[in-house]
């Protein structure tokens, strides 16, 4: 199984975007995307159709605010999508869009300094065209780099996140199919462990005695969980439990899994996204915020994993936190617009 044509298309697409301007970006997109291209972006961009609409919604404002944009990829792989019976081919890219923040963006005042916008992108390629895209970026982390603390202090660490410890995440050459199958099987087994220990059903008894026992089935003890702005990153199984898993499982109730739209793997890397993956009820305390007292909210999530031997070692997570909070009545962008920078904690 080869993905060379699909990978080449996405790399050419990125190369062309690296030279695009606000005036040319719509034409650049149009060269390689389908006429009815379905683009999904985080809040406030949401779902768009076609090159012109995506350009107007995301790329023209972004390129108008950010100078000398440079895509710095840390992970790049392709594969067939398990969700549709391994029929469609997707190409995944993750890293940062580095730039000089020179003009206001989404109400955030410019710094005239380097900023690193975390991103993860899934592209479905068919017939030499990009048919579908999911583009997740970490706007909360961008705010933090601009000196805006939009949320109370969190349990994890907020920092510009590196790529894989092994520095082998750019799979420009195809990997043996058996490697991707092993990675995907491990990811699925890990997701099964989460389901087996879910406390979403009243009176349900977890399968494993402790969270550490659950994690030990599929994770190395020195695991790294590279979480999004609003939650933060954690290192080692014990700190992951303390700084992410326990708040997530105890401060979010009535968890409903909605499924994934794409799930794939190649070599030691794999991942998925959903739209939304989860629906939950914030009962109070999560991300330092009170319960909404009204209704549930959706989480759109990307997870990208690195397998090391028989277990998972690293996990990069993107959550559309602004959408999750907006569904609870908190407009973070509106609240932060025009605010003066505060001492950064990144």
């Amino acid at each position: 199984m080869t993905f060379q044509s699909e990978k080449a298309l996405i790399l050419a697409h990125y190369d062309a975007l690296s030279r695009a301007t606000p005036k040319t970006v719509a034409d650049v997109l149009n060269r390689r995307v389908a006429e009815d291209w379905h683009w999904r972006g985080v809040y406030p961009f949401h779902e768009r159709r076609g090159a012109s609409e995506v350009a107007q919604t995301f790329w023209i404002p972004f390129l108008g605010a950010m100078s000398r944009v440079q895509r710095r990829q840390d992970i790049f792989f392709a594969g067939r999508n398990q969700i549709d019976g391994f029929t469609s081919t997707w190409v995944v890219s993750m890293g940062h869009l580095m730039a000089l923040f020179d003009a206001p963006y989404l109400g955030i005042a410019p710094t005239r300094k380097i900023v690193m916008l975390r991103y993860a992108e899934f592209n479905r390629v068919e017939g030499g065209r990009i048919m579908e895209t999911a583009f997740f970026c970490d706007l909360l982390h961008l705010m933090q780099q601009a000196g805006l603390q939009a949320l109370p202090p969190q349990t994890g660490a907020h920092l510009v996140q590196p790529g894989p410890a092994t520095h082998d995440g750019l799979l420009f050459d195809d990997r043996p199919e058996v490697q991707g199958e092993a990675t995907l099987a491990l990811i699925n087994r890990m997701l099964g462990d989460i389901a087996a220990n879910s406390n979403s059903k009243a009176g349900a008894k977890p399968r494993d005695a402790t969270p550490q026992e659950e994690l030990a089935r599929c994770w190395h003890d020195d695991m790294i969980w590279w979480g999004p702005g609003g939650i933060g990153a954690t290192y080692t199984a014990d700190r992951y439990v303390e700084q992410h898993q326990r708040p997530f499982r105890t401060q979010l109730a009535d968890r409903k899994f909605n499924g994934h739209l794409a799930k794939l793997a190649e070599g030691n890397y794999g991942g998925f996204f959903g739209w939304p993956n989860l629906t939950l009820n914030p009962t109070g305390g999560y991300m330092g915020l009170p319960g909404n007292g009204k209704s549930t909210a959706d989480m759109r999530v990307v997870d990208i994993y690195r397998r090391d031997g028989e277990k998972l070692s690293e996990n990069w997570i993107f959550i559309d936190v602004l959408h999750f909070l907006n569904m609870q009545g908190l407009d973070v962008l509106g609240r932060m617009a025009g605010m003066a920078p505060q001492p950064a904690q990144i």
Side-chain angles (χ1 to χ4, degrees), residues 165 215-216 219-226 234-240 306 308 311-315:
L215 291 169
W219 291 94
H220 289 287
D221 180 66
D222 63 349
M223 64 177 286
I224 310 175
W225 192 85
W226 298 108
T234 71
Y235 172 45
T236 74
D238 285 342
R239 297 297 171 89
Y240 168 79
R306 178 174 71 85
D308 180 3
K311 293 186 178 183
L312 298 169
S313 186
E314 294 187 84
N315 181 196

Side-chain angles (χ1 to χ4, degrees), residues 34-271:
E35 185 176 353
D36 61 346
W37 178 36
H38 187 184
W39 187 89
R40 296 177 177 89
V42 297
Y43 180 94
F45 311 120
H46 300 299
E47 297 185 63
R48 304 292 169 177
R49 292 279 182 173
S52 177
E53 194 171 328
V54 174
Q56 291 293 330
T57 300
F58 176 76
W59 281 107
I60 290 174
F62 182 75
L63 293 175
M66 305 292 174
S67 303
R68 307 292 292 268
V69 178
Q70 190 179 110
R71 185 182 300 267
R72 300 178 69 88
Q73 292 191 102
D74 293 310
I75 292 175
F76 183 83
F77 66 92
R80 295 287 175 86
N81 181 12
Q82 177 190 329
I83 304 305
D84 61 14
F86 302 100
T87 300
S88 60
T89 297
W90 293 72
V91 180
V92 179
S93 173
M94 189 208 82
H96 294 83
L97 296 176
M98 187 185 80
L100 296 172
F101 191 177
D102 283 345
Y105 182 63
L106 299 175
I108 307 168
T111 64
R112 300 191 71 253
K113 299 177 183 179
I114 293 175
V115 288
M116 304 280 282
L117 179 63
R118 294 181 69 228
Y119 82 90
E121 185 173 79
F122 286 63
N123 287 291
R124 179 169 69 87
V125 177
E126 181 181 316
R129 289 277 171 176
I130 302 170
M131 310 298 294
E132 192 173 352
T133 297
F135 178 80
F136 282 64
C137 60
D138 196 336
L139 295 175
L140 269 172
H141 187 239
L142 179 67
M143 291 183 207
Q144 290 166 332
Q145 293 173 72
L148 299 177
Q149 304 304 315
L151 296 174
Q154 302 307 307
T155 52
H158 289 81
L159 66 163
V160 174
Q161 299 181 2
T166 47
H167 301 284
D168 61 354
L170 299 175
L171 309 189
F172 298 131
D173 296 323
D174 297 330
R175 295 300 190 266
E177 190 172 347
V178 64
Q179 294 179 5
E181 290 174 347
T183 301
L184 190 58
L186 180 56
I187 291 170
N188 285 327
R189 191 161 68 249
M190 177 272 302
L191 294 174
D193 290 341
I194 293 175
N197 288 286
S198 172
N199 292 318
S200 59
K201 295 181 180 180
K205 183 178 180 180
R207 180 193 62 191
D208 297 306
T210 66
Q212 285 82 358
E213 183 179 312
E214 172 193 332
L215 291 169
R217 294 175 181 271
C218 293
W219 291 94
H220 289 287
D221 180 66
D222 63 349
M223 64 177 286
I224 310 175
W225 192 85
W226 298 108
I231 301 172
T234 71
Y235 172 45
T236 74
D238 285 342
R239 297 297 171 89
Y240 168 79
V241 171
E242 172 190 337
Q243 297 172 358
H244 173 65
Q245 188 194 77
R246 185 175 295 121
F248 188 92
R249 293 190 177 181
T250 61
Q251 297 164 359
L252 297 170
D254 307 319
R255 181 170 59 194
K256 176 188 174 185
F257 175 58
N258 302 306
H260 300 129
L261 294 187
K263 186 197 294 182
L264 58 142
E266 183 185 17
N268 293 330
Y269 293 87

